[in-house]
Amino acid sequence: MASQARPDLPHSAPAHGVRHAAIIMDGNGRWAKKRLMPRIAGHRAGVEAVRRVARAAREMGLECLTLYAFSSENWKRPASEIADLMGLLRHFIQADLDEFHANGVRLRIIGNYRALEPSLVDMIEKAMARTAGNSGPIIAIALNYGAQDEMVRATQQLAQRVAAGEMTADEIDIDKIEAALDTADLPPLDLLIRTSGEQRLSNFMLWQAAYAELYFTDMLWPDFDAKALAQALDAFKLRDRRFGGL
Ligand code: IPE
Ligand code: IPE
Ligand code: MG
């Protein structure tokens, strides 16, 4: 037994150097279209990719994997697709929470999830509470997330504290803004991956991406797997991060 690794901890600090990776999981619809299938089939295959990649991230020793699942702009989609996506999310939490918990994973949700349907909010809060005491990696799901909305909510929070006399406007600094963001207790973002060939951020983690390395792949999200994640981590290893220095 002594040689067996604890399931919630990597063997040693990972060589790739990535603590926190985030993925804009794009291309489910195009994946389905190529197969003459309805878009929901692409989203279902996308959930399978989430399972694979969450497992791989854990095995590769990431401290945090953040996945963009539903943006604050995705409400523009047809109601039937929104209902399909929320249904898949509900099912995912029900089906996968035990595995996450057994592996010491902490499930986090970022974004304005409190504006979702009350029964879903309840389910999310129970799932987060159940895994909050774990000591393994964080899987953060961005739901009803928009970076601009996140910054608006953070600004409101700080303004309220100033109005209440808890601090002065001059005391607002980078640390205070970071502490008011949804990602307050997550490690700094190292690597931001987007699938499907689009090269834009689509309102994802704009503040956190300030010095993240960006990695774009043409692969559609339902095709993404452990090997694709390993390739992104390999690419990261070759980057020279200077943070404005030399
Ligand atoms: C990503 O796939 C999933 C979500 C945005 C929820 P898309 O649904 O955007 O797939 P494409 O971009 O239409 O191929
Ligand atoms: C970004 O993908 C949002 C998610 C992956 C959840 P979109 O498909 O919504 O992005 P745009 O509309 O192409 O920018
Ligand atoms: Mg898309």
Side-chain angles (χ1 to χ4, degrees):
M1 283 307 279
S3 64
Q4 203 168 337
R6 273 179 57 183
D8 57 343
L9 287 175
H11 287 270
S12 57
H16 49 70
V18 177
R19 296 179 64 197
H20 183 179
I23 311 182
I24 302 174
M25 310 184 287
D26 200 11
N28 293 353
R30 279 162 283 171
W31 183 94
K33 193 171 179 193
K34 269 187 11 192
R35 289 163 177 76
L36 308 175
M37 286 155 92
R39 291 180 59 84
I40 172 96
H43 294 314
R44 277 199 203 103
V47 174
E48 288 307 319
V50 167
R51 291 198 171 103
R52 284 198 299 273
V53 174
R55 248 175 236 142
R58 189 158 46 71
E59 285 163 10
M60 292 173 194
L62 293 191
E63 278 175 53
C64 180
L65 176 71
T66 300
L67 300 170
Y68 202 8
F70 192 88
S71 77
S72 50
E73 284 69 41
N74 286 147
W75 297 108
K76 294 176 189 162
R77 296 193 180 196
S80 59
E81 176 157 344
I82 294 171
D84 285 344
L85 287 167
M86 294 299 160
L88 282 175
L89 176 81
R90 228 178 249 277
H91 183 256
F92 174 73
I93 296 177
Q94 270 163 359
D96 288 58
L97 192 65
D98 283 347
E99 180 181 332
F100 281 149
H101 192 49
N103 285 296
V105 169
R106 280 170 285 171
L107 181 70
R108 284 284 312 272
I109 305 291
I110 63 166
N112 191 9
Y113 72 85
R114 289 184 187 86
L116 300 173
E117 211 184 292
S119 65
L120 188 52
V121 176
D122 187 53
M123 182 185 227
I124 286 169
E125 287 182 338
K126 285 193 176 122
M128 286 198 288
R130 184 165 168 221
T131 61
N134 289 343
S135 55
I138 298 170
I139 302 286
I141 313 243
L143 252 195
N144 193 20
Y145 177 90
Q148 291 174 337
D149 174 67
E150 177 189 33
M151 287 190 241
V152 168
R153 286 183 287 108
T155 305
Q156 286 171 346
Q157 200 191 108
L158 294 172
Q160 278 155 7
R161 287 177 56 195
V162 172
E166 292 170 26
M167 63 178 188
T168 65
D170 290 348
E171 282 169 348
I172 296 177
D173 58 10
I174 289 174
D175 288 346
K176 289 218 172 51
I177 293 177
E178 283 193 341
L181 295 173
D182 296 348
T183 51
D185 45 2
L186 305 186
L189 182 63
D190 297 308
L191 175 63
L192 175 48
I193 299 169
R194 183 170 188 147
T195 59
S196 89
E198 310 297 348
Q199 302 199 1
R200 56 176 170 261
L201 297 183
S202 300
N203 203 9
F204 188 53
M205 298 186 99
L206 300 182
W207 171 283
Q208 297 83 350
Y211 268 104
E213 295 297 325
L214 308 182
Y215 178 88
F216 299 104
T217 168
D218 287 338
M219 188 177 272
L220 301 174
W221 173 250
D223 293 325
F224 205 84
D225 58 9
K227 188 168 157 235
L229 181 63
Q231 274 167 0
L233 298 178
D234 283 347
F236 176 89
K237 232 177 3 189
L238 300 175
R239 305 279 178 95
D240 179 17
R241 300 182 87 190
R242 288 190 290 273
F243 297 99
L246 295 180

